[in-house]
Amino acid sequence: MQAPRNRSSKQPLWIIVLVTMVCVSLIGAYIYPPRRYAACYFFASTVCHPFGENVQPVRKRVYTDEEIASRTVINDILKMPPVQSKNPKVAFMFLTPGSLPFEKLWEKFFLVSRSSYLILSFQVDWGQISMVDAERRLLASALQDPDNQHFVLLSDSCVPLHNFDYIYRYLIHTNISFVDCFEDPGPHGTGRYSTHMAPEIEKEDWRKGAQWFTMKRQHALIVIADNLYYSKFKQFCMPGVDGHNCYADEHYLPTFFHLVDPGGISNWSVTHVDWSEGKWHPKMYRAQDVKYELLKNITSIDESTHVSSDEKKVRTKQPCLWNGVGRPCYLFARKFFPETLGNLLEIFSNYTEAS
């Protein structure tokens, strides 16, 4: 019987050679960095740029004391748990220069409870900050009722597109606010920006949108709490500033929410308006226009469209999502003449019964 052989204590030569080659490769990569970005996936960023060359550090602007205070208050409000109410309500706020021409239609809509509504008449100047002042005053009044959990801003020419229960569920059970917001590179978008807004509001943060919103309670609170961004609009967003016209009601809320809570808004308004005629003002509906087919067509729209105001007229579409699920976009429609009331009352039950 042969005696067992003693294993050599020396490692095989090929392992030593392999380790040596790997070490040489790493040293070479460090001294002579790879030129292709794909190679950087295999090495640390300091290998691709060992001395920090071509790396531009991101410089964050130092916030002013006012910005720090404002952002702290806003962030604290957004982190607060929603107020629990045994009787959550939707506050319908009507911004009108006089009486409400569709009062009878809204009375029919409000036959169901779980709602509150405010009809406040304001003398406002179109395009001036007084429009925003009126919106903030309506929110402040509605916030006094702790049961109000969602807030809807409507004009005197607005009509409901669904019955109360449908709209109530749509708003109370959502996790966002429906605030219109998009970037328009044209003269009626960023062309209205004033450099006086900086540094708190930079040009790349300037947004546009329709003023007719719905918002959850936390968002209503931060709008009321805001003074920093509001004061910028009050000073520098008005007709005739820097040689152009700026309208605060079209830019304040979209820009504000883009800055403080961009993920908390829908980026489209649930109030429909028809700009297809390409005029300065949207289409106005007369009595002969108001038929069952018109209202059903509006309620079937499930994509929101924005058009830039520059020469390219770029159309941007996005699906209307409700808690991540595709749904029809619009709950209300506007620009109806008072003469349409009779037709609306006659067909109201028909066009809302499928809601």
Side-chain angles (χ1 to χ4, degrees):
M1 185 174 180
Q2 293 182 351
R5 294 179 182 179
N6 292 328
R7 292 181 179 271
S8 173
S9 60
K10 296 182 179 180
Q11 297 292 335
L13 180 62
W14 69 271
I15 296 179
I16 297 174
V17 173
L18 179 61
V19 171
T20 302
M21 291 177 64
V22 171
C23 292
V24 171
S25 298
L26 290 174
I27 294 172
Y30 186 87
I31 297 175
Y32 302 102
R35 297 298 180 186
R36 295 184 179 180
Y37 291 110
C40 293
Y41 286 104
F42 299 99
F43 303 101
S45 59
T46 53
V47 173
C48 291
H49 304 285
F51 304 107
E53 58 186 10
N54 299 326
V55 177
Q56 299 296 327
V58 178
R59 296 182 179 274
K60 291 187 176 181
R61 178 174 60 84
V62 177
Y63 291 135
T64 64
D65 291 343
E66 291 79 7
E67 284 180 284
I68 294 173
S70 176
R71 287 175 174 269
T72 299
V73 171
I74 289 172
N75 288 336
D76 281 353
I77 293 174
L78 292 176
K79 292 176 182 177
M80 290 169 51
V83 176
Q84 297 299 320
S85 170
K86 294 182 180 180
N87 181 36
K89 296 189 294 186
V90 176
F92 292 81
M93 308 176 301
F94 292 88
L95 185 59
T96 171
S99 60
L100 196 62
F102 296 108
E103 186 172 358
K104 290 183 178 180
L105 179 66
W106 285 106
E107 286 177 353
K108 194 171 184 178
F109 173 82
F110 285 125
L111 287 177
V112 183
S113 59
R114 293 179 298 174
S115 69
S116 64
Y117 60 94
L118 299 172
I119 302 176
L120 298 183
S121 176
F122 290 102
Q123 292 296 324
V124 296
D125 297 319
W126 181 78
Q128 300 289 344
I129 195 67
S130 58
M131 292 287 286
V132 176
D133 292 337
E135 295 171 7
R136 286 159 58 98
R137 202 170 304 157
L138 279 166
L139 284 172
S141 298
L143 280 166
Q144 294 182 52
D145 185 346
D147 287 333
N148 285 336
Q149 299 297 300
H150 210 96
F151 304 80
V152 182
L153 181 68
L154 299 165
S155 74
D156 55 336
S157 68
C158 285
V159 301
L161 294 174
H162 300 272
N163 60 42
F164 179 86
D165 281 339
Y166 179 94
I167 292 177
Y168 177 85
R169 293 192 302 267
Y170 197 108
L171 298 178
I172 287 294
H173 299 300
T174 189
N175 55 6
I176 59 173
S177 293
F178 294 97
V179 177
D180 195 22
C181 177
F182 72 105
E183 185 176 8
D184 177 5
H188 301 156
T190 53
R192 295 172 175 173
Y193 173 79
S194 170
T195 54
H196 296 298
M197 295 278 189
E200 292 84 359
I201 304 173
E202 300 290 353
K203 190 173 184 178
E204 58 264 28
D205 295 319
W206 188 255
R207 293 295 183 270
K208 180 183 178 181
Q211 73 178 108
W212 312 105
F213 61 78
T214 83
M215 64 177 65
K216 57 186 182 180
R217 189 175 182 89
Q218 287 169 307
H219 280 164
L221 287 170
I222 65 174
V223 170
I224 297 302
D226 174 51
N227 183 62
L228 176 68
Y229 302 106
Y230 165 79
S231 63
K232 286 287 184 177
F233 278 87
K234 186 174 183 178
Q235 289 179 277
F236 305 116
C237 184
M238 62 189 73
V241 173
D242 292 342
H244 57 254
N245 295 326
C246 180
Y247 305 109
D249 57 290
E250 295 182 10
H251 297 283
Y252 168 61
L253 286 180
T255 301
F256 173 69
F257 280 106
H258 173 72
L259 286 167
V260 303
D261 192 18
I265 61 174
S266 64
N267 296 319
W268 91 87
S269 170
V270 291
T271 299
H272 176 267
V273 66
D274 185 355
W275 289 98
S276 62
E277 295 180 339
K279 299 179 180 179
W280 280 96
H281 296 285
K283 177 179 175 60
M284 299 283 291
Y285 296 107
R286 314 289 315 205
Q288 64 268 23
D289 300 320
V290 178
K291 299 176 182 179
Y292 174 83
E293 291 74 19
L294 169 69
L295 299 173
K296 292 307 294 183
N297 286 339
I298 295 175
T299 57
S300 67
I301 298 172
D302 59 5
E303 284 186 331
S304 171
T305 302
H306 292 118
V307 182
S308 65
S309 62
D310 55 7
E311 294 180 353
K312 297 180 179 179
K313 301 296 180 185
V314 176
R315 298 175 67 87
T316 304
K317 293 186 176 183
Q318 70 172 95
C320 296
L321 302 178
W322 181 84
N323 293 346
V325 179
R327 295 283 289 272
C329 299
Y330 301 113
L331 305 180
F332 313 98
R334 63 187 301 261
K335 289 302 178 181
F336 287 79
F337 276 108
E339 67 187 49
T340 63
L341 177 60
N343 289 358
L344 288 167
L345 285 171
E346 184 177 345
I347 63 177
F348 177 76
S349 298
N350 292 330
Y351 76 79
T352 61
E353 65 181 3
S355 298

